[in-house]
Amino acid sequence: MKKIVLQVATFLGALSCFGSSTAAETRTALVPLPSIDDFTNGDGWGVGLGLSVEYETAYEGSDEFELEVDPAGGVQWRNGEHLFFWAGEAIGWRTLARDAWLFQTSVGYEEGREESDSEDGRLDGLGESNSGVTLLLEVRHALVDDWRYFLDGRVLTGEIGTLGIFGAGTCLGCEPNGTGWEIGAAVTFHDGKYANRDFGVNTRQSIASGLPETDVDSGYRSIGVNVNYRNYLNENWQIFGEALYEAYGSDVSDSPISRNDYEAEIGIGFIYVF
């Protein structure tokens, strides 16, 4: 996994040497962070359409990996320090306050795990986990004027339970147009409902699958690191990449559903910004 991350980082770095600095430089993102996309040019509508290719674990706790192609980009409308967006299965709003506080809220749909997610049949008998509408609340705070260092807090809650993420990050070589490298580290916590959605085994599932009944307590879930990259290749084409490594806590790792004590993914994509 480390070798793959290094190879992709080298590839992205080489591509950035060919990026054009013309019209892309005139764009000013809401915040200069690669993980927060902004397809507008300061005000008005912004549209970005593209594709990403990801190599990732097949489901939470899986030791199987799969290659997946997903749409990328979204539709946005910005008015000063307010940005409304629609991306994938989420619609939301971001705003910047006092140049140092980024607030975001969005409503999305979280799909559940299916038995067919495991090609090796390791989910047979478990059925489909809950899907549902979720509400995301996020706050980021810049520790310095250029957002080189920041703190991040997120809460995802809804029918499927509640997940909390608390972390910090740094932006390397980031530009006002939202390009550059971003590295972050985070600790996650979950309530019992969210924990058992991914790693619990109830009585019915135990009988059908042969796995022992398991009830996962709320509390600490994992610790992880993530890397984000974004760059304009020319006036309209944008390349982005991301990598994630998340190490589970003992309660999650001890679940019979967990075949690995970590989750990992790496991806690369292209977006055409209109």
Side-chain angles (χ1 to χ4, degrees):
M1 187 66 192
K2 292 180 180 178
K3 183 179 180 181
I4 296 175
V5 173
L6 180 59
Q7 290 174 338
V8 171
T10 303
F11 172 67
L12 293 176
L15 279 177
S16 67
C17 295
F18 298 97
S20 171
S21 60
T22 55
E25 280 191 350
T26 66
R27 298 181 184 270
T28 301
L30 189 64
V31 289
L33 297 178
S35 61
I36 305 292
D37 53 34
D38 184 348
F39 305 129
T40 69
N41 193 12
D43 272 303
W45 289 97
V47 179
L49 296 177
L51 290 174
S52 68
V53 180
E54 298 179 350
Y55 184 68
E56 59 186 358
T57 48
Y59 58 90
E60 300 281 352
S62 173
D63 60 355
E64 303 169 58
F65 286 81
E66 62 182 11
L67 199 63
E68 185 172 323
V69 179
D70 293 313
V75 178
Q76 303 172 341
W77 183 78
R78 181 173 167 187
N79 182 13
E81 308 298 354
H82 302 276
L83 189 149
F84 300 87
F85 63 91
W86 172 40
E89 297 178 329
I91 183 169
W93 164 72
R94 300 181 186 125
T95 187
L96 184 64
R98 297 182 181 178
D99 295 326
W101 292 91
L102 175 69
F103 298 95
Q104 173 173 307
T105 181
S106 63
V107 177
Y109 185 79
E110 187 88 5
E111 296 183 358
R113 182 192 63 213
E114 299 180 356
E115 290 187 5
S116 60
D117 288 344
S118 172
E119 294 184 356
D120 296 339
R122 291 174 175 170
L123 298 175
D124 291 353
L126 294 178
E128 183 178 344
S129 64
N130 294 335
S131 302
V133 176
T134 59
L135 173 67
L136 173 68
L137 302 173
E138 179 176 3
V139 178
R140 292 197 189 193
H141 177 56
L143 299 177
V144 292
D145 291 341
D146 58 1
W147 284 82
R148 183 173 176 83
Y149 303 104
F150 61 89
L151 301 177
D152 183 26
R154 279 168 279 171
V155 175
L156 179 75
T157 187
E159 304 168 72
I160 61 174
T162 301
L163 177 73
I165 305 173
F166 307 94
T170 181
C171 202
L172 306 176
C174 291
E175 300 293 336
N177 61 10
T179 60
W181 291 88
E182 182 184 322
I183 302 173
V187 179
T188 64
F189 301 86
H190 51 200
D191 67 359
K193 188 174 183 179
Y194 197 99
N196 285 288
R197 171 181 181 262
D198 293 327
F199 301 105
V201 181
N202 60 33
T203 302
R204 179 187 58 78
Q205 292 173 322
S206 178
I207 295 172
S209 67
L211 299 176
E213 286 190 49
T214 303
D215 183 70
V216 183
D217 293 332
S218 61
Y220 172 69
R221 180 184 178 95
S222 64
I223 187 170
V225 294
N226 60 278
V227 179
N228 284 277
Y229 170 81
R230 192 177 300 274
N231 189 60
Y232 279 95
L233 298 176
N234 56 38
E235 181 178 349
N236 299 102
W237 281 103
Q238 189 182 98
I239 182 175
F240 68 94
E242 56 185 353
L244 166 72
Y245 181 86
E246 183 180 0
Y248 294 131
S250 58
D251 285 351
V252 172
S253 299
D254 291 342
S255 165
I257 295 177
S258 296
R259 302 286 178 165
N260 259 337
D261 59 0
Y262 69 89
E263 177 187 358
E265 67 177 67
I266 188 167
I268 185 173
F270 294 88
I271 294 175
Y272 184 85
V273 180
F274 292 85

